[in-house]
Amino acid sequence: MKLKKLLFLVVTAGLISVSCQQEEIDNTTSNTEPVATENQDKISKEVLAKLKALNLNIEDVELSEFRLPDGTKQQSYIVEGDIAISAEQLDVMQPGNITTKQYRTYNLVSSPRNINIVGWTGTGYDQNLTQKQKDALQAAVDNYNDLEIGLSFTLEFSTNQSAADILIFQNPNGSAGGVAGFPSNGDPYGFVQIFSGMEQFSLGTNTHVITHEIGHTLGLRHTDWFTRESCGRPSFGELANPSGAVHIPGTPMRLDPESVMLSCFGLGESGEFGSNDIKALEYLY
């Protein structure tokens, strides 16, 4: 989720936005066209074709390795800035099994159920959540628990990784945003990384990013995945994407500036759900 993410920002001088995974803060007027990276050149045409068949936006796909708090490493393709998909997941996902307006995947979490979230707080670890991140995570979990859905959430701050349905920890890379993935086998995606560069932003913006990344673990797609309009790209004027995206009933057919699931976010986020985010989650769960 880049610093240009989540709520829609009008591109004007002085407005800053960040994507879920962006190396540095930039102005919304910059980087509006796809830019090939050295890392993206390593992505095979076969992988890109699979991602495209899943109705994923294949601009700027990267291959990334990250370290879990227990020291193990995982390698994933990073799609749309903040969605992690492993090679194993990609091999079993079929074009009919993932869809996304509000957008969702067919890979959802079994409901009703309780989901245990662990915020990592070890001693002497560079992946500990900061106090601001812990406060933001608590606020995000409270907001999810306020919804009238079949999912409930418990939160503990510990190093008890084995107890976590979703483990949330800091990635000390200095960037802004975070990374998560989609559910599988009825379970939420197990990890959310919050980048250490988020410390420079407000509690509301941190809450916004964490809420967004938890949304991915429950199966929500970016609201503007096909245009990435919230990142400063021009609108394609599409109502329902012809490649197979599925509209969640009751939510807008065009960009929703209040959605917590937009591709990019701005500096002054409140951390609260938009009304259509709530409709989407209540419909799905």
Side-chain angles (χ1 to χ4, degrees):
M1 176 169 129
K2 297 195 174 186
L3 175 63
K4 294 175 188 168
K5 185 179 197 157
L6 299 166
L7 306 182
F8 176 61
L9 293 177
V10 179
V11 180
T12 55
L15 284 182
I16 303 290
S17 64
V18 179
S19 122
C20 289
Q21 182 181 333
Q22 182 161 308
E23 294 298 325
E24 57 186 77
I25 301 172
D26 59 9
N27 193 279
T28 54
T29 58
S30 66
N31 198 31
T32 57
E33 296 299 326
V35 177
T37 64
E38 181 180 350
N39 199 16
Q40 188 178 16
D41 290 340
K42 299 176 183 178
I43 309 298
S44 70
K45 292 182 179 179
E46 179 183 11
V47 166
L48 292 174
K50 286 183 178 180
L51 292 170
K52 186 175 182 179
L54 295 170
N55 298 317
L56 290 161
N57 191 316
I58 61 171
E59 295 178 358
D60 306 321
V61 177
E62 295 186 0
L63 184 62
S64 177
E65 184 176 77
F66 63 91
R67 174 169 55 91
L68 295 173
D70 65 3
T72 60
K73 294 183 178 180
Q74 291 197 1
Q75 193 174 70
S76 299
Y77 299 107
I78 305 298
V79 186
E80 297 180 21
D82 71 325
I83 301 169
I85 299 177
S86 69
E88 292 76 15
Q89 284 180 301
L90 189 58
D91 283 341
V92 300
M93 295 171 80
Q94 299 296 323
N97 291 339
I98 182 170
T99 175
T100 67
K101 228 163 169 214
Q102 251 54 339
Y103 287 105
R104 66 179 179 88
T105 69
Y106 276 131
N107 298 43
L108 297 176
V109 176
S110 299
S111 176
R113 67 174 290 180
N114 181 74
I115 295 172
N116 190 41
I117 296 177
V118 173
W120 184 264
T121 55
T123 301
Y125 292 97
D126 60 2
Q127 291 175 289
N128 293 341
L129 296 179
T130 67
Q131 187 60 53
K132 183 184 290 185
Q133 291 165 347
K134 289 191 288 185
D135 291 345
L137 175 54
Q138 181 68 68
V141 170
D142 289 345
N143 285 342
Y144 274 101
N145 277 327
D146 284 342
L147 300 174
E148 296 182 0
I149 60 176
L151 301 177
S152 60
F153 301 81
T154 55
L155 172 62
E156 65 177 271
F157 293 103
S158 71
T159 58
N160 189 10
Q161 184 170 333
S162 63
D165 294 310
I166 305 173
L167 178 69
I168 300 183
F169 59 95
Q170 181 174 241
N171 183 328
N173 64 3
S175 299
V179 169
F182 294 142
S184 59
N185 300 317
D187 295 320
Y189 186 78
F191 307 103
V192 171
Q193 301 175 63
I194 302 302
F195 296 160
S196 57
M198 289 305 302
E199 191 64 15
Q200 65 189 299
F201 300 109
S202 68
L203 176 62
T205 299
N206 274 263
T207 302
H208 179 95
V209 170
I210 292 174
T211 300
H212 175 104
E213 300 304 338
I214 292 175
H216 283 320
T217 72
L218 304 180
L220 292 181
R221 290 283 304 274
H222 290 144
T223 309
D224 60 338
W225 71 271
F226 51 94
T227 63
R228 294 182 69 78
E229 188 177 346
S230 62
C231 303
R233 303 180 190 278
S235 170
F236 298 162
E238 299 182 42
L239 295 177
N241 190 275
S243 64
V246 171
H247 176 234
I248 295 178
T251 66
M253 298 292 287
R254 294 188 183 275
L255 182 132
D256 176 9
E258 301 302 317
S259 174
V260 76
M261 294 309 298
L262 290 178
S263 299
C264 288
F265 65 91
L267 298 181
E269 308 295 356
S270 68
E272 301 298 322
F273 287 113
S275 60
N276 291 305
D277 298 321
I278 295 173
K279 289 179 183 177
L281 285 161
E282 288 179 346
Y283 178 83
L284 296 177
Y285 293 111

